[in-house]
Amino acid sequence: MSLNWYDMNYLWMSNRVDSIDYHERFKLSWDSRYLYVLVEVIDDKLNPTLENGLDDYWKDDYVEVFIDEDNLVGNQ
């Protein structure tokens, strides 16, 4: 089974970056018990957002996955 790739086209907390530096996409699948998410990120340059890049370094470039299990956003 081959699954389609989907672009991540939602920007929540930053400015859009150059697609030469950063590209992301994802695939989804599920069965009766689990949701499976595969995220691919290509990022050649770290964009530091903190004063000291060594403290909390994992908070710079990152991907977060939010799941609206009750579909509340779509029903407002």
Side-chain angles (χ1 to χ4, degrees):
M1 171 173 62
S2 176
L3 299 172
N4 293 328
W5 283 104
Y6 296 97
D7 289 330
M8 289 190 199
N9 55 358
Y10 302 100
L11 185 64
W12 292 82
M13 296 173 38
S14 181
N15 297 322
R16 183 70 55 194
V17 295
D18 190 343
S19 62
I20 293 172
D21 168 48
Y22 183 83
H23 177 76
E24 71 285 334
R25 61 186 185 164
F26 68 96
K27 291 182 176 189
L28 291 174
S29 185
W30 59 89
D31 60 27
S32 62
R33 297 189 61 191
Y34 300 104
L35 171 67
Y36 304 91
V37 180
L38 173 65
V39 177
E40 178 185 71
V41 176
I42 299 170
D43 188 1
D44 295 331
K45 179 180 156 194
L46 182 64
N47 294 311
T49 56
L50 305 169
E51 288 181 29
N52 181 349
L54 297 177
D55 293 337
D56 299 330
Y57 61 88
W58 61 88
K59 292 182 180 178
D60 283 333
D61 285 356
Y62 57 90
V63 172
E64 289 183 294
V65 176
F66 298 94
I67 298 174
D68 180 13
E69 64 183 87
D70 296 327
N71 196 24
L72 293 177
V73 173
N75 291 319
Q76 292 181 357

